[in-house]
Each structure stands twice: as structure tokens, then as C-alpha cells.
């Protein structure tokens, strides 16, 4: 996804950020991917400063609850989910607050 954002020219990619463990559980691979796509990483969601950000939730459905709990502590301006099988109402309930949620299923 980061490569596609960069190639499209529609997004400012200097602000791409990711939670280290959500990129890859192996630290050396996470570092490699972050370097390749120029993504700033952090060990905790709170460090990512997402208050004015659009967040794309692209995790396995079984990992979504943990990610959403972390995001609820510092909710983004907009959440776009590409997680299969998770309803918008589920995402909104887990996130809490007034964060708009969009659910998309790319082919």
C-alpha cells in the first residue's frame, strides 16, 4: 500500500506512519520495510500522533480488537478499514467517540 500511495501522486507520503508490530512481528523485517517505503514507525500507537490523521486499518480480523483498543486511546480523524468480516458498527463501537469510519473491500 505505501508504494501505491507514493506512485499515485495523490497522497503526501512523507506522513506515512505505522505501529512497528503491525508492519511485521520480526524487528529486522519491520526495519527493512519501513526503510524501503519511508514509513516512520513507533513502538506504541500513542507515539504516532494520529489526531489529525487518516488511519487505514489493514490487519487480520483476529488482530483488529487489539489495534482498535490502542487507537481508541488516541483516535484518528478518520478510520478506513479493509478488514474482512468486521462491520462498521463493530469498528465504531470499539473505537468509541466521534471518529468517522469507512469500510472498504478492495479486490
Amino acid at each position: 500500500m505505501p508504494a501505491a500511495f507514493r506512485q499515485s501522486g495523490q497522497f503526501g507520503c512523507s506522513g506515512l506512519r505505522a505501529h512497528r508490530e503491525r508492519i511485521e512481528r520480526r524487528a529486522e523485517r519491520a526495519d527493512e520495510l519501513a526503510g524501503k517505503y519511508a514509513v516512520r514507525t513507533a513502538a506504541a500507537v500513542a507515539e504516532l500522533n494520529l489526531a489529525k490523521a487518516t488511519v487505514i486499518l489493514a490487519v487480520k480480523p483476529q488482530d483488529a480488537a487489539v489495534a482498535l483498543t490502542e487507537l481508541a486511546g488516541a483516535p484518528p480523524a478518520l478510520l478506513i478499514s479493509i478488514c474482512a468480516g468486521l462491520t462498521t458498527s463493530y469498528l465504531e463501537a470499539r473505537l468509541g467517540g466521534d471518529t468517522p469510519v469507512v469500510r472498504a473491500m478492495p479486490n
Side-chain angles (χ1 to χ4, degrees), residues 51-87:
K52 295 181 181 178
T54 296
V55 171
I56 298 174
L57 185 65
V59 296
K60 294 179 181 176
Q62 62 267 27
D63 295 332
V66 172
L68 290 165
T69 299
E70 292 171 350
L71 285 170
L78 172 66
L79 177 76
I80 299 172
S81 171
I82 60 170
C83 296
L86 301 181
T87 65

Side-chain angles (χ1 to χ4, degrees), residues 9-86:
Q10 299 296 313
F11 301 93
C13 292
S14 63
L16 292 177
R17 296 166 283 197
H19 187 284
R20 287 188 56 74
E21 288 185 15
R22 302 290 178 252
I23 294 176
E24 172 63 50
R25 295 191 194 282
R26 295 172 296 148
E28 65 280 352
R29 179 70 174 142
D31 290 340
E32 177 186 332
L33 292 170
K36 180 177 181 178
Y37 298 111
V39 175
R40 289 182 290 153
T41 63
V45 169
E47 296 172 33
L48 294 173
N49 190 23
L50 301 174
K52 295 181 181 178
T54 296
V55 171
I56 298 174
L57 185 65
V59 296
K60 294 179 181 176
Q62 62 267 27
D63 295 332
V66 172
L68 290 165
T69 299
E70 292 171 350
L71 285 170
L78 172 66
L79 177 76
I80 299 172
S81 171
I82 60 170
C83 296
L86 301 181

